[in-house]
Amino acid sequence: MNGCFINLQESTGRRAAMEAQLRMLGLHGAIARFEAIGIEGLPSAGGASRREHACFLSHAAAIESAPADGFFLVPEDDAQLGRAPPALLRDVDALARPPHCHLV
């Protein structure tokens, strides 16, 4: 299982909390930090605020960095993962079978 969590460089507290959560769930190392795009110099776009635009661009860049063949988890740094995701995410073949989801 591969993935990354989106985190602004200056959000060190959120990074530490997410890394602690990933360690507790046995996912540390499988999900790496992905530096978020900040709002500096970024225009608003399509009615979205600069912050929303930066968030969208960060998610798009994280997804583009994913391997083409496989499951890739992309939470934000404030996601609260329960105890079930590690087992579910390790069985990626089950995710592709109905009634499971292709996008969670």
Side-chain angles (χ1 to χ4, degrees):
M1 199 256 312
N2 294 315
C4 65
F5 66 93
I6 297 173
N7 170 256
L8 284 165
Q9 183 174 350
E10 61 269 15
S11 295
T12 56
R14 283 183 171 203
R15 178 181 182 172
M18 178 56 88
E19 288 174 343
Q21 183 178 192
L22 293 171
R23 272 192 300 279
M24 182 188 75
L25 295 171
L27 296 173
H28 193 262
I31 300 175
R33 178 184 175 270
F34 186 89
E35 187 167 337
I37 296 170
I39 63 170
E40 298 80 28
L42 194 65
S44 57
S49 69
R50 290 176 27 191
R51 186 176 305 256
E52 291 164 336
H53 188 196
C55 183
F56 170 80
L57 292 174
S58 296
H59 279 271
I63 291 167
E64 287 176 9
S65 77
D69 60 340
F71 182 79
F72 196 74
L73 180 68
V74 184
E76 292 186 11
D77 60 5
D78 61 349
Q80 294 295 310
L81 303 174
R83 295 188 187 275
L88 176 66
L89 297 174
R90 285 189 186 100
D91 188 8
V92 294
D93 291 331
L95 288 172
R97 292 190 305 265
H100 290 83
C101 300
H102 295 284
L103 179 65
V104 180

